Amino acid sequence: GTTQGRLDGFFKVQ
Amino acid sequence: MFEARLLRSSILKKVLEAIKDLLTQATFDCDDNGIQLQAMDNSHVSLVSLTLRADGFDKYRCDRNISLGMNLSSMSKILKCAGDKDTVTMKAQDNADTVTFVFESPNQEKVSDYEMKLMNLDLEHLGIPETEYSCTIRLSSAEFARICRDLSQFGESIVISCTKEGVRFSASGDIGSANIALAQTASVDKEEEAVVIEMEEPVTLTFACQYLNYFTKATSLSPQVQLSMSADVPLVVEYRIPDIGHIRYYLAPKIDD
């Protein structure tokens, strides 16, 4: 099966 | 004072249609260069990044940088009141707590204005790193919308696999499985119907159908769409809006358990 990934971690809060 | 005028309200209406399934509220950041919107959906699976350049507007004035926090369902209700051929002007005073939309019919015989309350939204600006993608695929936006719609019947996920031979979209589920393979086009009559693939390394990633279908709400903004993929990083789905800017969607891939 697969789990939906999240964007947190890819983009840094500025 | 902020004032931005578009000869055709249809662009703004289409932009709203393209973001309102993903976002309930968003901040329109306005400065000399134009309008920017960047926001993640509530579940932090996708991100919308919209740019409308100042030079794409018929009139654009922004004396001081201003952030307009808008409830998108309210904004959508207001834009539905504009005729497609109406001119639309967005206006706000510095430090205002409202924004005004003015719609003018082509013959100027009907002028409507709608004032909307602004929201105080927490500003969380995200830095999107410059990424070299292993694969970029350019294809007709209508074709991409059709592929997402057709494959959604088979399962919750679409696997996108890009090799030098072409790009394959696959889905499987209870009723069976489906595969759509597109080869790079050798020659086409219409440039927007071409399939163009640039590949450094083959990539296979899995994405949620639901989000891809939300992104395809932008189809009417552009005849073409560009998909950019690298292993283990978000997919970028970009629609270039002729003469004014672009809307980019970022989508986190599904991860194998």
Side-chain angles (χ1 to χ4, degrees), chain B residues 89-105:
Chain B
T89 306
M90 287 167 67
K91 284 189 215 179
Q93 300 294 330
D94 294 341
N95 304 315
D97 55 5
T98 61
V99 59
T100 302
F101 296 88
V102 181
F103 306 136
E104 292 167 84
S105 66

Side-chain angles (χ1 to χ4, degrees), chain A residues 1-8 10-14, chain B residues 43-46 125-127 232 252-255 257:
Chain A
T2 54
T3 310
Q4 178 60 59
R6 299 277 177 272
L7 290 177
D8 310 271
F10 287 115
F11 304 132
K12 297 265 186 310
V13 177
Q14 285 181 330
Chain B
S43 55
H44 290 201
V45 169
S46 69
H125 280 270
L126 297 167
D232 306 320
K254 289 193 164 190
I255 303 155
D257 291 333

Side-chain angles (χ1 to χ4, degrees), chain B residues 3-7 57-60 87-89 104 108:
Chain B
E3 190 172 344
R5 182 170 190 260
L6 280 171
L7 278 185
F57 288 86
D58 301 289
K59 182 180 175 189
Y60 190 90
T87 295
V88 56
T89 306
E104 292 167 84
Q108 305 266 317

Side-chain angles (χ1 to χ4, degrees), chain B residues 188-246:
Chain B
V188 282
D189 294 335
K190 292 184 186 168
E191 197 190 333
E192 60 258 33
E193 286 170 10
V195 176
V196 180
I197 296 167
E198 285 169 35
M199 192 210 72
E200 299 290 328
E201 276 180 82
V203 179
T204 297
L205 290 170
T206 304
F207 301 102
C209 287
Q210 187 187 15
Y211 285 90
L212 295 173
N213 281 315
Y214 287 153
F215 303 166
T216 63
K217 298 286 168 71
T219 302
S220 62
L221 283 168
S222 181
Q224 282 211 313
V225 61
Q226 180 167 298
L227 314 178
S228 303
M229 301 200 298
S230 283
D232 306 320
V233 305
L235 165 75
V236 189
V237 179
E238 177 179 314
Y239 295 85
R240 288 180 196 163
I241 312 170
D243 304 321
I244 190 162
H246 61 253

Side-chain angles (χ1 to χ4, degrees), chain B residues 147-158 171 209-210 213:
Chain B
I147 289 169
C148 293
R149 189 195 68 191
D150 290 350
L151 293 187
S152 297
Q153 303 180 98
F154 289 84
E156 291 178 357
S157 303
I158 294 180
C209 287
Q210 187 187 15
N213 281 315

